[in-house]
Amino acid sequence: MSGTASDVIQARDVHGGIHFHGSAQSSGHLPRQLPSDVRGFVNRVSELERLSSLLIPDGDVIRSAGFCVIAGTAGVGKTALALHWAHQISGNYPDGQLYVNLRGYDPGSPVTAGEVLDRFLRVLDVPSARIPPELEARSAMYRSLLAGRRMLVVLDNAASAAQVRPLLPGTDTSLVIVTSRSRLSGLVVRDGAHRITVDMLPEAEALDLIRRVTTDYRSEDDPDELAELARLCARLPLALRIAAERAASRPWMPLRELITDLRDESALWDALTAESGDEADAVRTVFAWSYRALAQPVARAFRLLGLHPGPEFGVPAVVATTGGTVGQARQVLDMLVGAYLLEQVTRDRYQFHDLMRAYAVDQATVEEDAEGRRAVLTRVITWYLRSADHAQEKLAPRDRRIQLGEPASDVGALTFSDYSEALRWFQIELANLVASVRVASQTGLDDLAWQVAAVLRSYCIRHNPFDAWLATGSMGLQAARRAGNRYGEAEVLDSLGKAYVQSHQIAKGAEHHRMALAIRREIGDRLGEAISLNSLGLVNLRGRNLAEARSQFEMSLTALRTLDEVFWESIVLANLAETTFELALLDEAFDAAGEALERFRLLEDPDGQGNTLRILSMVLREQGQVGAAREHIEGALSIAREHDNLMWEGYWLLELGKVQLAMGQPAESLIAFQRSASIQRRLGDRSREARALDGTGEAYRELGRPLEALDFHRTAVAVHRELGDKWQLAAALENMLVALRRSGSNDEVSLHRREMLSLLDHMEEPRAHAMRARLAAVSWDDD
C-alpha cells in the first residue's frame, strides 16, 4: 500500500510498501482577495490593450511576459486600472487571487514584505507554526507554493522595489500587477518588469467619466463648462469622481456656480502653495471644495477618522472614534462613501485613499486642538484594548488576565459570544492592534501601548503571528519602561519570552523570562514569579537541561502551593512529572502525574487531563505495564478527538505508537505514526513530524524490513540536525544504527557512531548514560 502522509492506513497486517514523504501543501480553499471593481471606470483603452499584450496564450495556460508595474502620480487612477484589468482577466487564473495594499504612501508605516508574506502564506493554508520568521525563508516558501500554480497577485501602492521583490513568485504561470507613484526602475532593469505609466485622462475620457456619474441626476450640462470642471480637477480620476459626485448631488445648481466655487478654492490653494498648477494641488483643491460642502457632523467625523490609528476600520471602531450611535455612524459612512471621500472595501470595512487620509489628518490638526486629538486617540485605542481584553476572555479563559484598571469612561468595547467570534475579531483587527501600540507609543500614551501589547499575548501564543508579536512586544516594553510601570514591563517581557521561544530563539526567550522573573520578585508578584519559573523550566526541559528544569518547576510549585492557584499548580505538576520521567525517576513521575490528573479532573480541564494521561502512559510503558499504558493513552486520544483538537491528537499519537511497539504490534503502530506525521505536517511542527517518521522506521524494523526503516530514520536525522535538537538527533541516530546493523550494511556506521557519541559527550542524565551503554554493548564489524 502506498500513498502520501495525508492518507490513513487501514490495515492490520502490512504487505508491500507504505511510503509517505513531503508533498506540496494542498490548498483547502481558493483565495479571492480582489476588491470590487471601481465604480464609474472609463476607457483607458490603450493602457488596457498594452497590459493585455503581456499575456501569452499557451494551450490552456496564459503565461506572462513579465510582471506589470502601473506607475503614475497620486490620484491618476492606477489602482482603478489595475483592479479593472484584474477583474477582466481573473478567469485565466483559476488558483485564485491575492491582493494587498502595501500602503507605501500612507501617513502611517508601510506594510513590510515580511508581513505580506505572513498573510499570503496563511491564506495559502500554511500553518502558522510552519511560517519561518526570516524574510528570505518566507519568500522561498511562497515561491515554492506558487510554482506551477496560476494565480493573480495585485500589489497596490508600493513604495519601493525592495518592498515588492520578495513577493514575486518566479513563475510565468502567475501574474503580478504592481501599482506605485514611483517608476520602480530597479524592478524594470533587474527583474524584467513591464512598466506602464498612467497619465491624466485625455479630455474626452475625463468628460466621459463626469457624464457617467452625473447623467442620471442632471440635465445636459454645457460641454465647455464640463471641460473647465475637468481642467480644474487636473483631469485626475480621483478628483473628477469627487467633483462629479458633488455635481450629481446638486442637480438643480447650475454647473457654473459649482465651477466658480471650485475656482475660488483653487485660487486659495494657489496662494497657499509654492507651485500653482501642480497636480497634487489640484487634488487637494477638490478635496477641500468637497469637504467644505459637508454638513458639520459629517465633516467632523471625516477629520476624526483621519486620526484612527490603523489603515482600515469597521463600524464599531468608527463609533469609538467619532462618538454617537451605530446608526449615526452608518449614515456618516454612507455619505462619505457616496462623496468618494472614503472607500468601502467590504460590507462593513472602510479605508481612506492615502491622499484623502493625509488631508483628513491635516484638517484634524487645523480644526481640533491638541487636547481634543489626544482624547480621540485615547478613546479609540482604549476601545481596541478593552475589546481585545474581552476577546481574550473567550479565547483563553484560564490565561492570566492583564490588570487594566477601570477605564476613564465607557468606550463601548465589544463583547463576544464564544471562542470562534473572539478569534475572528483578533484575526481581522490584528493590524489595527499593532497600529494602536505604535501610535500610542508615538503620542505619549505609554500605558495604553504596553497594555495592548500585553493583552495580545493570549492570541499570539496560539497563532504565532511573529512579526506583529515581536513588534508590539518591543514597542510595549519600551513604553512600560518609559511609564515606569514595573508590572507592565514584566508582563511584556513574559510575552516576548514566549515569542522568542516559539520562534526558536531560545537564548533570547530565556533572557526575557529571567528579566520578567527578577521584576516579579522585586514587586512581590508571587503568581507571576511562579509562572516565570515555570516558563524557565520549560525552556530548560526543551533544551534538555533536566536538573535545572526540575529545580525551577519545584520552586514554582512551592510558590503556587501558598497561593491556592489550583490550575497553575496542576500545570507545573504535569511539567515536573514529564521532567522526572526524562530523568528516569519513574516513581516520582507517576506520583506527580497522578496528582496533576486528579486536579485537572476537578477543574474539568480536558487539555490538562489529556496531556497528563500521555505522561502517565509513558511512565507505565517503561515500567512494563503496557496494557495500562495503552488504556491511558487511548483515554488521552479520546479527549483530543472529542474536542476535535488535531494538535493534541497528533502529539499524543506518538505515544500510542510507542505503546503498540512495546506490545509487539508494529503494524498497528505504523498506523499511529503515519496519522501523527500527517497531522504534524498539516500543523507545521517539523520536530514532531520527524519523531513520527523515526517511529515509522522503528515499526518497519520490527516488521523485519530494515532497509525501508532506514529511509525514515535518515529523514528524521536530517530534520533534527537542521533544527539543532541534540537529544532527538541522538535518539534518531541510535535507531538508524540499529537498522543499519539489521540490514547488514556497515558503510555509514562509523560516521554515525562518532556523531552520536559527540552529541552524548556532555549529557550527564541517566537516559544519555543508558544510550551510551547500549552503544558500547554492540559489536560493530567496522571497528
Side-chain angles (χ1 to χ4, degrees):
M1 185 181 298
S2 63
T4 69
S6 60
D7 300 323
V8 178
I9 304 171
Q10 302 292 335
R12 303 293 292 178
D13 300 301
V14 180
H15 306 283
I18 300 175
H19 305 286
F20 48 102
H21 304 284
S23 61
Q25 177 77 24
S26 62
S27 178
H29 67 281
L30 297 179
R32 304 290 187 192
Q33 295 190 325
L34 279 185
S36 59
D37 205 347
V38 179
R39 291 183 291 158
F41 185 86
V42 293
N43 297 320
R44 294 292 190 193
V45 175
S46 63
E47 289 90 345
L48 288 168
E49 288 177 349
R50 289 179 60 199
L51 287 166
S52 295
S53 71
L54 301 175
L55 303 182
I56 305 167
D58 181 11
D60 294 335
V61 177
I62 298 293
R63 301 190 183 275
S64 59
F67 66 98
C68 310
V69 172
I70 300 175
T73 190
V76 79
K78 303 179 295 296
T79 297
L81 175 61
L83 292 179
H84 186 70
W85 187 52
H87 278 282
Q88 284 187 338
I89 64 172
S90 61
N92 296 321
Y93 298 95
D95 292 324
Q97 310 106 33
L98 299 172
Y99 170 86
V100 65
N101 185 345
L102 294 169
R103 305 193 182 279
Y105 302 93
D106 271 24
S109 301
V111 182
T112 67
E115 290 170 332
V116 176
L117 287 167
D118 183 77
R119 295 182 201 173
F120 281 0
L121 290 171
R122 289 171 192 263
V123 167
L124 294 169
D125 292 329
V126 177
S128 58
R130 205 176 150 209
I131 297 174
E134 303 84 8
L135 174 62
E136 287 186 12
R138 285 183 184 179
S139 185
M141 179 179 286
Y142 168 73
R143 289 193 301 273
S144 296
L145 285 172
L146 264 60
R149 292 192 186 185
R150 292 184 284 169
M151 296 197 74
L152 183 58
V153 182
V154 180
L155 308 175
D156 202 9
N157 291 316
S160 65
Q163 199 180 16
V164 169
R165 201 167 273 127
L167 308 177
L168 300 177
T171 175
D172 65 358
T173 58
S174 291
L175 176 66
V176 177
I177 307 170
V178 182
T179 73
S180 180
R181 294 184 201 173
S182 168
R183 291 173 59 80
L184 299 182
S185 297
L187 293 179
V188 175
V189 174
R190 287 180 50 192
D191 301 280
H194 294 269
R195 181 173 56 222
I196 292 178
T197 302
V198 182
D199 204 349
M200 65 181 69
L201 287 171
E203 183 174 294
E205 294 186 10
L207 297 180
D208 189 20
L209 189 156
I210 295 173
R211 289 192 184 100
R212 287 193 182 208
V213 177
T214 62
T215 187
D216 292 336
Y217 304 94
R218 300 180 62 87
S219 58
E220 188 68 27
D221 287 308
D222 182 86
D224 291 337
E225 291 181 349
L226 288 172
E228 185 173 1
L229 181 62
R231 181 186 60 77
L232 287 169
C233 294
R235 301 204 304 274
L236 294 171
L238 177 61
L240 287 165
R241 287 192 177 92
I242 293 170
E245 180 59 35
R246 186 169 175 192
S249 67
R250 291 161 176 77
W252 303 110
M253 180 179 285
L255 193 60
R256 171 54 49 191
E257 290 186 27
L258 290 169
I259 290 171
T260 300
D261 286 349
L262 182 53
R263 189 187 293 114
D264 290 345
E265 193 73 50
S266 180
L268 174 64
W269 277 99
D270 286 349
L272 292 176
T273 57
E275 298 181 20
S276 62
D278 184 82
E279 292 166 352
D281 290 344
V283 173
R284 289 177 64 85
T285 297
V286 175
F287 289 176
W289 176 64
S290 187
Y291 170 72
R292 292 184 202 285
L294 296 173
Q296 191 277 331
V298 181
R300 186 164 193 268
F302 170 80
R303 62 180 179 263
L304 292 186
L305 285 172
L307 300 176
H308 180 273
E312 184 187 298
F313 39 81
V315 175
V318 173
V319 174
T321 306
T322 64
T325 66
V326 170
Q328 290 169 335
R330 289 192 183 280
Q331 281 188 321
V332 166
L333 290 166
D334 287 345
M335 292 177 188
L336 293 174
V337 170
Y340 288 95
L341 299 179
L342 198 63
E343 300 171 5
Q344 185 169 4
V345 290
T346 63
R347 187 174 67 86
D348 277 324
R349 304 292 289 181
Y350 301 83
Q351 68 179 10
F352 283 109
H353 186 285
D354 53 5
L355 286 178
M356 196 67 75
R357 185 179 183 197
Y359 181 76
V361 170
D362 286 347
Q363 296 314 299
T365 303
V366 170
E367 299 189 44
E368 306 286 335
D369 60 29
E371 184 177 344
R373 295 196 301 274
R374 184 180 179 87
V376 170
L377 283 175
T378 300
R379 186 169 64 243
V380 69
I381 296 173
T382 301
W383 179 85
Y384 276 111
L385 169 65
R386 297 289 167 165
S387 296
D389 185 50
H390 292 162
Q392 185 264 333
E393 287 184 78
K394 297 296 183 182
L395 192 73
R398 292 194 182 278
D399 280 10
R400 191 188 191 204
R401 299 282 298 281
I402 301 299
Q403 298 171 17
L404 301 179
E406 292 299 320
S409 60
D410 181 11
V411 294
L414 296 177
T415 56
F416 303 89
S417 60
D418 57 23
Y419 174 94
S420 297
E421 189 179 1
L423 175 60
R424 177 164 172 74
W425 185 84
F426 269 121
Q427 291 169 335
I428 291 172
E429 298 292 357
L430 182 59
N432 285 326
L433 291 162
V434 174
S436 293
V437 177
R438 181 176 293 112
V439 170
S441 297
Q442 293 169 346
T443 54
L445 300 173
D446 286 330
D447 280 325
L448 283 176
W450 75 255
Q451 286 172 344
V452 176
V455 167
L456 272 171
R457 174 177 58 195
S458 289
Y459 169 74
C460 292
I461 284 170
R462 289 160 177 81
H463 298 279
N464 290 340
F466 289 121
D467 292 332
W469 194 0
L470 292 170
T472 54
S474 298
M475 291 184 290
L477 181 59
Q478 294 305 314
R481 286 171 172 168
R482 286 193 300 270
N485 192 311
R486 298 289 274 168
Y487 163 77
E489 185 178 352
E491 292 301 313
V492 181
L493 282 166
D494 176 84
S495 180
L496 279 169
K498 291 175 168 62
Y500 283 121
V501 169
Q502 289 181 207
S503 61
H504 307 293
Q505 302 177 70
I506 306 300
K508 280 187 177 181
E511 177 188 358
H512 282 75
H513 283 310
R514 283 193 291 269
M515 288 191 287
L517 174 62
I519 294 173
R520 285 166 165 172
R521 282 174 169 163
E522 171 195 323
I523 64 177
D525 180 1
R526 296 176 65 200
L527 176 57
E529 177 183 348
I531 292 172
S532 288
L533 285 166
N534 180 64
S535 295
L536 285 166
L538 288 171
V539 169
N540 281 302
L541 176 58
R542 185 169 181 163
R544 208 71 189 175
N545 302 314
L546 298 179
E548 184 67 17
R550 181 185 183 186
S551 173
Q552 285 161 336
F553 289 136
E554 287 174 341
M555 286 190 289
S556 178
L557 202 55
T558 298
L560 288 165
R561 281 176 170 154
T562 67
L563 299 176
D564 194 27
E565 287 285 348
V566 178
F567 172 68
W568 279 103
E569 192 176 337
S570 306
I571 287 176
V572 178
L573 268 170
N575 291 336
L576 179 61
E578 185 154 8
T579 304
T580 49
F581 167 80
E582 295 296 346
L583 285 165
L585 301 170
L586 300 185
D587 291 340
E588 288 187 36
F590 184 85
D591 291 343
E595 187 179 350
L597 180 61
E598 182 179 348
R599 290 166 178 266
F600 280 128
R601 282 174 172 160
L602 288 172
L603 291 167
E604 298 182 347
D605 185 281
D607 186 355
Q609 289 180 56
N611 190 52
T612 311
L613 285 168
R614 173 188 67 88
I615 296 167
L616 282 167
S617 175
M618 294 191 300
V619 175
L620 290 164
R621 170 170 53 83
E622 291 213 354
Q623 289 177 331
Q625 302 180 59
V626 290
R630 180 159 190 161
E631 180 181 340
H632 282 73
I633 194 58
E634 286 183 343
L637 286 164
S638 295
I639 291 172
R641 288 161 184 155
E642 180 183 345
H643 290 82
D644 196 24
N645 191 311
L646 280 178
M647 183 179 72
W648 299 348
E649 182 182 357
Y651 185 31
W652 300 342
L653 277 167
L654 292 174
E655 173 58 17
L656 176 62
K658 293 284 189 184
V659 170
Q660 289 166 330
L661 282 175
M663 297 180 77
Q665 299 170 340
E668 286 81 353
S669 76
L670 202 55
I671 298 170
F673 287 129
Q674 187 196 30
R675 171 69 175 160
S676 177
S678 171
I679 292 172
Q680 304 304 343
R681 185 167 303 134
R682 287 174 61 187
L683 297 176
D685 193 323
R686 297 182 65 216
S687 175
R688 288 179 182 170
E689 182 185 354
R691 288 169 65 180
L693 295 175
D694 198 42
T696 303
E698 290 185 76
Y700 267 120
R701 194 180 68 213
E702 295 308 309
L703 287 165
R705 295 158 68 174
L707 287 175
E708 289 171 90
L710 281 170
D711 289 339
F712 291 95
H713 293 316
R714 286 192 179 102
T715 302
V717 163
V719 173
H720 291 313
R721 187 183 286 131
E722 181 185 342
L723 296 177
D725 189 330
K726 294 181 179 180
W727 176 252
Q728 294 298 338
L729 174 56
L733 283 167
E734 181 180 25
N735 282 328
M736 188 162 69
L737 285 167
V738 174
L740 283 167
R741 185 167 181 267
R742 292 196 183 179
S743 69
S745 172
N746 292 324
D747 294 344
E748 309 169 62
V749 164
S750 180
L751 177 66
H752 293 315
R753 283 191 69 216
R754 284 198 300 271
E755 182 179 10
M756 185 177 164
L757 287 168
S758 176
L759 290 166
L760 297 172
D761 190 43
H762 301 292
M763 295 184 188
E764 296 302 325
E765 61 186 86
R767 291 185 185 278
H769 288 304
M771 196 179 286
R772 277 195 292 266
R774 288 195 299 272
L775 197 63
V778 175
S779 174
W780 301 94
D781 294 341
D782 67 325
D783 288 348

